[in-house]
Amino acid sequence: MNKEELHLTFFMCVIQSRQLVRTPQRTAGEASTSSMLIPKPPPKTDNMRSLDPVDDPGTVGSIPILKTEWIMTHEEHHAAKTLGIGKAIAVLTSGGDAQGMNAAVRAVVRVGIFTGARVFFVHEGYQGLVDGGDHIREATWESVSMMLQLGGTVIGSARCKDFREREGRLRAAYNLVKRGITNLCVIGGDGSLTGADTFRSEWSDLLNDLQKAGKITDEEATKSSYLNIVGLVGSIDNDFCGTDMTIGTDSALHRIIEIVDAITTTAQSHQRTFVLEVMGRHCGYLALVTSLSCGADWVFIPECPPDDDWEEHLCRRLSETRTRGSRLNIIIVAEGAIDKNGKSITSEDIKNLVVKRLGYDTRVTVLGHVQRGGTPSAFDRILGSRMGVEAVMALLEGTPDTPACVVSLSGNQAVRLPLMECVQVTKDVTKAMDEKKFDEAMKLRGRSFMNNWEVYKLLAHVRPPVSKSGSHTVAVMNVGAPAAGMNAAVRSTVRIGLIQGNRVLVVHDGFEGLAKGQIEEAGWSYVGGWTGQGGSKLGTKRTLPKKSFEQISANITKFNIQGLVIIGGFEAYTGGLELMEGRKQFDELCIPFVVIPATVSNNVPGSDFSIGADTALNTICTTCDRIKQSAAGTKRRVFIIETMGGYCGYLATMAGLAAGADAAYIFEEPFTIRDLQANVEHLVQKMKTTVKRGLVLRNEKCNENYTTDFIFNLYSEEGKGIFDSRKNVLGHMQQGGSPTPFDRNFATKMGAKAMNWMSGKIKESYRNGRIFANTPDSGCVLGMRKRALVFQPVTELKDQTDFEHRIPKEQWWLKLRPILKILAKYEIDLDTSDHAHLEHINRKRSGEAAV
C-alpha cells in the first residue's frame, strides 16, 4: 500500500468512527461561544480583602487560578495578541536565586513575544542593568528552551551596590531608554522589589537629568515618559507578606525532605537524635512545614520563641518519644531561631543540651545552600509560569497612574498587590520580632502560617490523656486506589483523635474490611513514622458498601463506631453517597462521616486538590525531564507519554505545563483528527528551529478511538523523514513513591481538621444516650475551594458530578490550558479578562480579627 492509499484508508476509518468520538454538548437555550452575551463587569469596591485563606493547606502544590469577571468578545480576545506591539519588556532576576525563576523568565519571554512585544534579558540582575552593553540582550522564543527544568537562574543574579546609588540608577535608566524599554519585570525578594520601586519613583527625575546632560533626546524622553514595574517574589524562605507561596519555596522543601528522609534511616539504625538546621534567618516557614512533613519532635522558629523552660520541656518530649518505642528523634531549627530574650538558639546549643541531659548520641546537620539547588518542583514551575504570564499582562496594561505591583498567590487565586504595601508589612514582621512582639509577628505572617503552627503544637506538644472515660469511638479507613499521603492523613487523624480523648479504630481494606470486621484499635505509636511513607499502610480497595450494608451495620454496632473518617478517591465519595442512602434502611449508618479526597487523579467533587496528586505530578515531571534530555541528545525525536487520571485530565494538563509539553490530550477538551494533524504540523515546523524535540502527553481515557498506540502510529507515519516517535506509558509508578512535602502537609492538616469536625459533629448528634445523625451536613467531603478548606454535604455535590466519567462537571484547572498552548507556540486566543485585579493587603495587628 502506497502513502496515498494509506491516507485514504486512514481517513475512511476516522469518518466511520466519528460517531464514537465525544463532542461538546450544548444545553437547550445555550448560545454558541461566538454569539455569547456579555454581562456587565461587576462594580468595583474599595473593601479590602484578607489575603490569608480562611483555612488553607498553607504549603505547596496549590496551583494559581484567576477570577473570571466577564466573558470577552472575539475582538477583545484578539487584542491580547497585539497588546504588546510597539512595547518592550525587560526581565531580570536579583538577590538570592530560587528554583522556579527560570520558569518565570521563560513565561515572560514567550508571552511577551506572543503579545507582539520585544523582550530583553538583563543578565546579572541590577548590575547588568547598570552596566548595559551585552548584559541586556533581546530574547527569542528558542533562547528560553530547555530552561524550565533547570534550577537557579540562567540569566544570572548578583548583589549590586551601584544600583543603591543614584548614579547607578541613572546609568540603568539610560540603558533602558536607549533600547526603548519601559516595562520592567523584577524577580527577587523584598530588597530587590524595593529597589525597583525606588527606580520607578525617580524615573521622571532621572530622565530630566539625562536630557540635561544631552545623553538622550527629547523624543526618547517622551517615548519613555513612564516606567511600569511588576514584581514576582522569588525566595526560598517564603518570607514575603502578601503571598502564600514564593517561587522556590516548594523546591527548597523538596530538598529538605529528601535529606530528612535519608537521615531518618541512619538515625533509626543507631538510635540517634538529629538536629537539622534549615534556612530562614527571619522566617521560620521552611522549618515549620518541614516539622509537619516529617513528624519532627520539636521545631525552633524566630516568630515564636519557646517558653523560658524550653530546655526541660524539650528533654521531656524526647524522652517520652523514646519511651513509646521510637528509635530516633528529629529536631528542626531555623537558622534565625531565638529565645524570648532575643538570644540566638543554635544547632550546637541544642546538641550539647541533649547530650548533657539525656546522654543521647546526637548529630548536627546544617543543610545550607543545598536548599537552593536542584531541579524545581512541579509546583514552582507552574507557579513561575503562571506568575510570568500575569506579570506580562500587568505590565502591558499599566498606565502612568498604576502603582508598582507584585503578582501574588492567595489560596488558589492569583492577585495583584501594591508592591510597597507588601514590602512594608514584611518589614513590620521583622520589626515586631525585634521589639519582642511575637504574637503580632505571627499574625502578620498570615492565617496560613498560624494554622501550620497550631497543628504542629497539637501533634508535638500536647500529651494524649491517659483516661478515655466519656470518649467517643471514631474509625478511619482508606478507600479506592492508593495515593501518596494517605498514611500521613491517617497518622494525623489518629493522633488528633487520641489527643481529644477519643478511642480511634483503624479499618483495613476499606469498606470490605469494615464488612468483614478487619478492625483494630490504634494507639499513639501505631502510626509512628507513617508521614513519609507512600501507599496505604491500612490497605485500600475499590469495593463500595451498598452490597454489605448488613455486615457493615453489624460491625458498627459491635465496635461501637460513632464516626467514620474515609480517606480516598472517587470511590470514597460514591461510598459516602451510598451510606447516606443506606440510612433509610439501617439506623446504624446514621453516624457522622467525612471524606478526605486522596487520589492521584484529583477527580473528587468538592475539592480543587486531592492528597497524592502533587506526588504523581512530580513523578511525571521527573520522567518527562529525563525523556526530554534523551530527545535533546538524539535530536528530531518526539515522545508520546500516557498519564493516569481516568477521564480527568488534571495530571496531563499540569504535567504538560510543568514539563513544557507541545500538547496534552484530555477528555474534557474534545479533539478531532484535524487537531491531531495540526499538532503534527506544529512539530514539523518546530524541527526546523534549533529545538529539535517534542513532548506530547495523553490522558489515559481522553478518547476511546485515539489511543496512545493510534497517536504514536500517526506521528510515526506523518513524521517520517522529519522526526522519530517514541511512546511511554508511565502506569502505576505514578501511585508510588514517598509523598511530596505538599501531600504530607496537606494530608496532616486535612486529618486534623476532619477529626476536629468529627468530634463536634458527634457531640451535636448525641441523643437519648446514642449517636443519631441523619441530616445532610452529617456526611461531608472536606475539600479545598480557592482560599478555604470547607465541609460540603456529599448529597449537595451530586449535581456537580459527572458520574459516568467520574469527574466534577466544573474543573478550575481547565482555565490554565490556553497558557500551555501559548507557551508551546500555538496561535490561539488568550482571554485577557481572566486575570488578577489590584487588591490591597489587609494588615492584621495584634488583637485584630482577620477579615
Side-chain angles (χ1 to χ4, degrees):
M1 185 180 293
N2 61 35
K3 192 169 184 178
E4 287 72 24
E5 291 174 321
L6 181 65
H7 273 291
L8 180 60
T9 303
F10 167 72
F11 281 107
M12 287 300 293
C13 291
V14 170
I15 291 169
Q16 292 169 8
S17 63
R18 281 300 295 271
Q19 60 186 10
L20 300 175
V21 179
R22 179 178 179 266
T23 55
Q25 298 293 316
R26 186 175 297 142
T27 57
E30 183 181 340
S32 66
T33 306
S34 59
S35 61
M36 195 171 289
L37 296 176
I38 307 165
K40 293 180 180 179
K44 294 182 179 178
T45 174
D46 294 328
N47 294 334
M48 294 193 299
R49 286 182 280 172
S50 168
L51 293 183
D52 291 308
V54 176
D55 193 1
D56 71 87
T59 129
V60 298
S62 46
I63 309 300
I65 64 168
L66 305 171
K67 305 182 289 295
T68 304
E69 297 199 344
W70 62 89
I71 299 169
M72 303 291 284
T73 63
H74 175 74
E75 289 74 17
E76 289 170 307
H77 277 306
H78 186 71
K81 294 183 181 180
T82 59
L83 193 61
I85 292 177
K87 299 179 181 179
I89 301 170
V91 56
L92 64 85
T93 54
S94 177
D97 64 302
Q99 309 97 319
M101 281 183 166
N102 290 326
V105 171
R106 172 179 177 267
V108 170
V109 169
R110 290 194 168 178
V111 176
I113 293 173
F114 170 83
T115 63
R118 299 175 68 197
V119 186
F120 292 82
F121 292 133
V122 180
H123 292 268
E124 313 308 334
Y126 284 120
Q127 192 64 57
L129 203 61
V130 172
D131 295 342
D134 287 341
H135 287 95
I136 305 176
R137 302 179 206 161
E138 187 163 359
T140 65
W141 196 276
E142 288 81 11
S143 64
V144 292
S145 179
M146 285 297 284
M147 67 189 296
L148 187 61
Q149 65 268 33
L150 300 178
T153 165
V154 298
I155 60 174
S157 179
R159 311 284 182 184
C160 180
K161 292 182 179 179
D162 292 340
F163 194 76
R164 296 177 184 174
E165 305 297 328
R166 195 175 190 281
E167 180 59 32
R169 294 193 290 273
L170 190 67
R171 289 163 57 192
Y174 171 79
N175 290 327
L176 292 182
V177 171
K178 283 298 181 182
R179 291 167 175 80
I181 299 170
T182 56
N183 300 282
L184 184 61
C185 177
V186 178
I187 307 170
D190 60 334
S192 302
L193 300 183
T194 301
D197 188 72
T198 302
F199 190 38
R200 182 182 186 277
S201 64
E202 293 178 348
W203 185 255
S204 296
D205 293 336
L206 294 173
L207 290 189
N208 289 334
D209 289 354
L210 291 171
Q211 276 182 286
K212 290 176 182 177
K215 292 186 175 181
I216 63 172
T217 66
D218 292 345
E219 184 181 357
E220 287 173 330
T222 301
K223 287 182 178 179
S224 305
S225 59
Y226 65 93
L227 178 69
N228 289 321
I229 296 284
V230 171
L232 303 181
V233 191
S235 168
I236 69 166
D237 293 337
N238 201 31
D239 56 355
F240 193 82
C241 291
T243 184
D244 289 347
M245 289 294 292
T246 57
I247 296 170
T249 303
D250 184 48
S251 301
L253 285 168
H254 275 251
R255 299 296 91 76
I256 296 169
I257 290 301
E258 287 167 7
I259 294 168
V260 171
D261 286 349
I263 281 175
T264 298
T265 57
T266 183
Q268 285 177 331
S269 300
H270 298 277
Q271 298 190 61
R272 283 179 176 148
T273 295
F274 268 86
V275 183
L276 284 87
E277 182 180 303
V278 301
M279 285 185 170
R281 189 174 296 116
H282 302 295
C283 180
Y285 184 86
L286 288 179
L288 179 55
V289 175
T290 298
S291 68
L292 282 173
S293 299
C294 71
D297 297 286
W298 199 284
V299 65
F300 292 90
I301 62 173
E303 293 89 347
C304 193
D307 295 331
D308 292 334
D309 61 344
W310 67 267
E311 294 95 337
E312 182 179 340
H313 188 182
L314 171 63
C315 291
R316 184 173 66 247
R317 167 72 180 167
L318 299 181
S319 180
E320 288 174 351
T321 303
R322 293 292 180 98
T323 301
R324 293 193 191 109
S326 176
R327 292 177 57 86
L328 78 157
N329 299 112
I330 298 291
I331 301 168
I332 308 295
V333 188
E335 62 178 327
I338 54 175
D339 63 18
K340 288 190 178 293
N341 298 315
K343 181 184 175 183
S344 176
I345 298 176
T346 68
S347 303
E348 287 296 328
D349 292 338
I350 298 167
K351 173 192 171 182
N352 294 335
L353 171 70
V354 174
V355 171
K356 181 178 179 180
R357 294 204 184 182
L358 299 176
Y360 293 166
D361 185 3
T362 306
R363 298 285 191 274
V364 171
T365 299
V366 180
L367 271 59
H369 283 75
V370 70
Q371 297 160 85
R372 290 193 187 277
T375 301
S377 66
F379 171 78
D380 274 329
R381 300 183 199 194
I382 295 171
L383 176 64
S385 299
R386 189 61 197 90
M387 296 300 99
V389 173
E390 188 58 41
V392 172
M393 292 299 118
L395 286 170
L396 298 182
E397 293 167 4
T399 67
D401 299 324
T402 306
C405 75
V406 60
V407 178
S408 301
L409 176 68
S410 178
N412 202 24
Q413 293 183 302
V415 292
R416 296 179 193 172
L417 301 173
L419 190 153
M420 290 314 296
E421 284 188 20
C422 297
V423 170
Q424 186 56 53
V425 177
T426 302
K427 291 179 177 178
D428 288 347
V429 177
T430 304
K431 181 181 177 183
M433 289 192 289
D434 291 341
E435 296 174 354
K436 299 181 176 60
K437 298 178 180 178
F438 298 111
D439 288 342
E440 182 173 346
M442 288 288 284
K443 289 180 179 177
L444 287 168
R445 281 284 180 231
R447 196 174 298 171
S448 168
F449 191 96
M450 292 181 68
N451 288 337
N452 281 322
W453 180 252
E454 292 303 319
V455 174
Y456 157 74
K457 285 198 301 183
L458 270 177
L459 292 172
H461 290 260
V462 179
R463 300 180 185 179
V466 177
S467 172
K468 289 187 174 62
S469 57
S471 67
H472 303 296
T473 301
V474 180
V476 57
M477 65 166 69
N478 295 157
V479 175
M486 276 183 164
N487 295 323
V490 172
R491 172 186 175 272
S492 175
T493 303
V494 168
R495 290 194 170 178
I496 294 296
L498 294 173
I499 287 169
Q500 293 172 345
N502 295 319
R503 175 171 169 255
V504 183
L505 305 177
V506 292
V507 181
H508 297 274
D509 296 335
F511 287 116
E512 184 178 311
L514 184 60
K516 293 180 178 179
Q518 297 171 211
I519 303 166
E520 62 178 317
E521 186 169 352
W524 189 271
S525 300
Y526 186 92
V527 291
W530 280 27
T531 308
Q533 296 189 28
S536 170
K537 297 275 287 182
L538 294 181
T540 180
K541 292 191 176 181
R542 297 178 183 270
T543 310
L544 294 174
K546 191 172 184 178
K547 294 180 180 179
S548 307
F549 276 161
E550 287 190 15
Q551 298 94 318
I552 288 173
S553 299
N555 282 321
I556 286 175
T557 301
K558 177 181 177 180
F559 291 93
N560 192 31
I561 297 172
Q562 298 168 312
L564 194 58
V565 177
I566 309 168
I567 303 166
F570 200 85
E571 289 85 0
Y573 164 66
T574 51
L577 286 171
E578 289 187 3
L579 290 177
M580 293 295 285
E581 283 294 315
R583 288 177 175 181
K584 298 173 183 177
Q585 293 179 280
F586 299 91
D587 285 350
E588 294 86 351
L589 301 180
C590 293
I591 59 173
F593 69 85
V594 59
V595 175
I596 299 177
T599 168
V600 301
S601 301
N602 195 35
N603 63 336
V604 178
S607 187
D608 293 343
F609 297 104
S610 297
I611 296 166
D614 187 67
T615 303
L617 187 56
N618 278 277
T619 300
I620 297 168
C621 283
T622 300
T623 305
C624 288
D625 287 348
R626 293 173 179 174
I627 285 172
K628 283 175 68 178
Q629 194 174 50
S630 168
T634 54
K635 300 281 193 289
R636 299 184 180 279
R637 181 161 288 177
V638 175
F639 278 87
I640 295 97
I641 311 295
E642 182 183 299
T643 67
M644 275 185 163
Y647 288 98
C648 180
Y650 174 83
L651 287 179
T653 296
M654 289 304 183
L657 195 55
D662 295 282
Y665 301 122
I666 63 170
F667 172 78
E668 293 90 343
E669 191 175 280
F671 56 96
T672 67
I673 190 62
R674 294 182 183 86
D675 298 313
L676 292 172
Q677 191 64 37
N679 294 147
V680 171
E681 181 57 33
H682 171 79
L683 287 167
V684 168
Q685 295 302 316
K686 186 177 182 181
M687 296 300 161
K688 297 176 182 178
T689 70
T690 57
V691 187
K692 300 183 186 302
R693 53 175 170 65
L695 181 68
V696 175
L697 299 181
R698 179 190 177 275
N699 171 244
E700 61 182 342
K701 291 187 178 180
C702 65
N703 189 293
E704 62 181 323
N705 295 311
Y706 301 142
T707 63
T708 300
D709 287 337
F710 180 97
I711 294 174
F712 167 71
N713 291 333
L714 172 64
Y715 275 58
S716 297
E717 179 62 29
E718 295 297 316
K720 274 184 179 178
I722 303 170
F723 58 80
D724 295 330
S725 297
R726 298 288 188 273
K727 63 179 176 178
N728 195 317
V729 179
L730 301 184
H732 285 77
M733 66 181 292
Q734 297 162 83
Q735 291 181 345
S738 297
T740 59
F742 170 78
D743 278 331
R744 299 184 194 199
N745 191 31
F746 189 37
T748 298
K749 295 185 72 174
M750 292 279 271
K753 192 168 183 69
M755 186 54 84
N756 286 332
W757 175 88
M758 181 62 69
S759 295
K761 191 60 67 174
I762 289 175
K763 291 175 183 176
E764 181 185 308
S765 306
Y766 193 78
R767 300 170 192 169
N768 303 320
R770 58 166 290 196
I771 304 299
F772 188 80
N774 64 348
T775 58
D777 66 352
S778 62
C780 290
V781 170
L782 170 59
M784 183 180 178
R785 284 290 179 92
K786 294 183 179 178
R787 301 185 182 189
L789 284 177
V790 293
F791 291 92
Q792 302 147 98
V794 290
T795 51
E796 291 182 8
L797 294 172
K798 287 178 70 175
D799 292 339
Q800 303 173 28
T801 307
D802 176 353
F803 286 98
E804 180 185 354
H805 301 106
R806 297 161 54 89
I807 55 175
K809 290 180 180 177
E810 293 186 7
Q811 301 183 85
W812 64 270
W813 49 266
L814 288 170
K815 293 181 181 293
L816 298 183
R817 286 188 60 81
I819 298 171
L820 188 159
K821 295 174 183 177
I822 289 170
L823 294 177
K825 209 175 183 179
Y826 282 92
E827 291 292 328
I828 69 162
D829 290 328
L830 176 64
D831 186 347
T832 56
S833 72
D834 194 23
H835 60 62
H837 298 278
L838 194 65
E839 299 187 4
H840 293 277
I841 187 168
N842 180 45
R843 303 183 184 185
K844 295 180 286 299
R845 304 294 179 182
S846 56
E848 202 176 7
V851 177

